[in-house]
Amino acid sequence: KLRWLPALAVLLLLLLVVTAPARLLGYLVPAQTLYLAGFSGTAWNGHAAAATVPLDRGVLQLGELEWQLRPWSLLLLSPRVQLTTRWGPQRIDAEVSVGVSGAITLRDAVITVPAELVRHWFPVELQGNLTLRTEKLVLEDLRPASGKGALVWQQAAWSAAGTTGRLGDYAVEFEVVALGQVDSTISTLAGPVEVVGTANLYPDRYTVDARLSSADGLSPALSNALRLFATPTGSGFHIKLDTQMP
């Protein structure tokens, strides 16, 4: 009879996951990592009316959060959950799993955030939406370990000294080549300003080597802003950055 005890224990565990109230996650997830409020549903298939992620300089609003846990993934000691968040144009749709080693894997992920979130890394304010798409991306200690995908900057615009200018739509196709190292190429999808080049992410810094040009010529305001960090060329500007991560 004792041979049935492990199976019974697993069944009871699954029943607890399926029937436990969603608010249980409020006690299990550290608030300094992810703050949740307004629970409904169960721990297996639930909803939070508000979700925020604390950052060094404020918080990232995720808005409404819905999740669906794959109960069978608990048997493999690799919890897998389908996550969906909504906050205006900002949204996340992804399947997230956590391995025994603590590695986080994103599958079939589409993540859209405002471009202004990267303002700390550029000398001018950026506008528009950034959308990350990847079939699979593995993070170890929150650093990219493997995977590839694309980052699309839609309705791109810049703002500096009270002046705003439209740029276009751009794509950055990337591939993780080593732990914490990502190589990518930059291309133009549409818009008055053409950008081509490369961008690379390292554990402690990032580099950009790109050229900007326009068939109609760059506006004086944009040219003045680019001179803050780019070198003028005969047809536009050359951006070459090698910057330490904040």
Side-chain angles (χ1 to χ4, degrees):
K1 294 182 179 179
L2 293 178
R3 64 184 179 181
W4 295 102
L5 288 179
L8 180 60
V10 169
L11 178 60
L12 290 175
L13 176 61
L14 292 177
L15 288 175
L16 285 174
V17 171
V18 171
T19 60
R23 64 176 180 274
L24 180 63
L25 291 185
Y27 301 102
L28 298 178
V29 179
Q32 62 268 27
T33 302
L34 175 65
Y35 176 77
L36 301 172
F39 293 98
S40 61
T42 66
W44 166 62
N45 192 350
H47 172 271
T52 59
V53 177
L55 302 176
D56 292 338
R57 306 180 185 182
V59 297
L60 173 61
Q61 296 284 353
L62 298 180
E64 292 187 75
L65 169 66
E66 295 180 354
W67 68 88
Q68 185 175 27
L69 178 66
R70 314 293 195 218
W72 56 264
S73 65
L74 298 178
L75 302 178
L76 303 177
L77 301 180
S78 180
R80 183 176 293 190
V81 60
Q82 183 69 37
L83 292 177
T84 302
T85 71
R86 296 289 185 272
W87 178 257
Q90 178 178 300
R91 55 188 57 205
I92 298 174
D93 287 295
E95 185 179 82
V96 183
S97 61
V98 181
V100 177
S101 65
I104 300 173
T105 301
L106 303 179
R107 292 181 175 86
D108 300 323
V110 180
I111 302 173
T112 300
V113 298
E116 64 183 25
L117 286 180
V118 299
R119 63 185 179 276
H120 303 304
W121 300 332
F122 292 90
V124 296
E125 181 180 345
L126 303 181
Q127 299 179 7
N129 293 318
L130 296 172
T131 299
L132 170 70
R133 296 179 182 272
T134 179
E135 292 185 1
K136 184 178 181 181
L137 181 64
V138 180
L139 306 176
E140 295 181 5
D141 296 327
L142 298 182
R143 294 186 298 171
S146 65
K148 59 183 179 179
L151 180 66
V152 177
W153 185 13
Q154 295 175 300
Q155 300 176 342
W158 64 275
S159 178
T163 301
T164 300
R166 180 175 176 270
L167 298 174
D169 297 335
Y170 307 95
V172 178
E173 297 186 8
F174 67 86
E175 182 174 4
V176 182
V177 296
L179 181 61
Q181 182 177 343
V182 181
D183 292 348
S184 65
T185 58
I186 306 170
S187 61
T188 302
L189 301 178
V193 179
E194 182 177 359
V195 182
V196 294
T198 61
N200 300 293
L201 175 68
Y202 300 93
D204 59 346
R205 73 187 204 283
Y206 69 90
T207 63
V208 177
D209 189 349
R211 295 183 180 274
L212 283 78
S213 61
S214 175
D216 299 327
L218 300 175
S219 69
L222 178 57
S223 296
N224 290 335
L226 287 171
R227 285 190 176 90
L228 297 175
F229 56 94
T231 303
T233 64
S235 58
F237 282 84
H238 181 200
I239 299 177
K240 194 171 182 63
L241 303 176
D242 190 338
T243 306
Q244 294 293 315
M245 297 291 286

